[in-house]
Amino acid sequence: MQDPLSRFKADRQAAWGAKDPMAAVCVLATVDTDGLPQARTLVLRDVADGSIEGLAIYINASSPKWQQSQGRVAIQTWWPATQIQYRMQASCQELPADHIADSWQLRPDPPKRMDWLYQEHPQGSQVKDRQTLLDLLDATVLPEPLVAPEGAKGLLLLPDVIERLDLTQSNGVHDRVRYHREGDRWQQRTLVP
């Protein structure tokens, strides 16, 4: 049996190759303090820097999703170009600060500036209008040298349930497989689509 994370990465690479704009993102699902489901689209990163390997998301600690992601989360990917969907249930582990500091430097300038804006105006807080937001962003003082703020965080996703749905079957019957981690081994089950 192929390791499901390796299969995920190969399928994602095929989506990149097909120029699928959804190959870069996932939908993160959490539950808020009122027990209501929350879902939002985030950039999904592959991490392989020696000591860490897996899937990661970067979040600012001022965002409600940071607190909601401290236990378990679900993510979904959908790649229209290849007709493949993945759903995963995962526990989360905070990425080390040195990893965040290094990867943060690779971000484009606007997200870096936003991370510093969040220090004074938490993500999701209300402003008068878009122009006010842009003015606040322009007025944000950046440190010299430019480094990641304390609120810049990241989570390593550790899936223990992975479900793959392939809609490309020539007979029209979708191929749906669930992988469940038991200890250090994956169990595979075929599901009715």
Side-chain angles (χ1 to χ4, degrees):
M1 176 185 71
Q2 182 180 16
D3 170 62
L5 284 174
S6 297
R7 189 172 194 188
F8 173 83
K9 289 180 180 183
D11 283 340
R12 190 173 190 211
Q13 194 61 42
W16 282 113
K19 299 187 181 345
D20 193 319
M22 300 301 291
V25 298
C26 70
V27 175
L28 173 72
T30 60
V31 177
D32 69 16
T33 55
D34 295 325
L36 298 172
Q38 301 294 324
R40 73 284 280 163
T41 303
L42 297 176
V43 174
L44 181 63
R45 314 273 182 183
D46 288 322
V47 177
D49 69 2
S51 61
I52 302 170
E53 187 170 341
L55 302 173
I57 51 177
Y58 296 103
I59 302 174
N60 193 282
S62 72
S63 170
K65 65 183 164 277
W66 175 252
Q67 288 299 341
Q68 296 167 14
S69 300
Q70 296 307 298
R72 291 187 57 77
V73 299
I75 66 166
Q76 177 183 347
T77 59
W78 164 242
W79 305 314
T82 59
Q83 298 288 293
I84 302 286
Q85 171 185 275
Y86 276 87
R87 296 187 314 154
M88 299 183 196
Q89 297 173 22
S91 57
C92 300
Q93 175 181 321
E94 188 172 348
L95 288 166
D98 60 336
H99 174 87
I100 296 299
D102 292 343
S103 65
W104 190 86
Q105 293 298 332
L106 303 174
R107 298 186 79 189
D109 287 336
K112 286 179 183 174
R113 186 171 283 280
M114 288 299 299
D115 270 338
W116 277 99
L117 176 69
Y118 298 148
Q119 298 295 106
E120 297 296 321
H121 302 278
Q123 199 170 18
S125 61
Q126 186 173 330
V127 293
K128 179 181 174 188
D129 54 28
R130 181 158 176 81
Q131 188 58 52
T132 300
L133 170 65
L134 296 175
D135 293 344
L136 287 168
L137 190 59
D138 285 342
T140 299
V141 177
L142 301 176
E144 289 288 334
L146 185 58
V147 295
E150 187 176 319
K153 304 282 186 184
L155 294 170
L156 183 65
L157 304 176
L158 305 168
D160 51 30
V161 177
I162 298 175
E163 199 172 289
R164 180 182 188 270
L165 180 66
D166 181 342
L167 304 182
T168 64
Q169 305 307 301
S170 60
N171 64 4
V173 179
H174 307 324
D175 181 25
R176 184 178 175 194
V177 179
R178 177 180 290 158
Y179 303 91
H180 185 269
R181 183 185 286 275
E182 294 181 7
D184 62 349
R185 297 178 56 116
W186 288 97
Q187 301 297 318
Q188 178 180 336
R189 303 283 185 268
T190 299
L191 303 178
V192 176

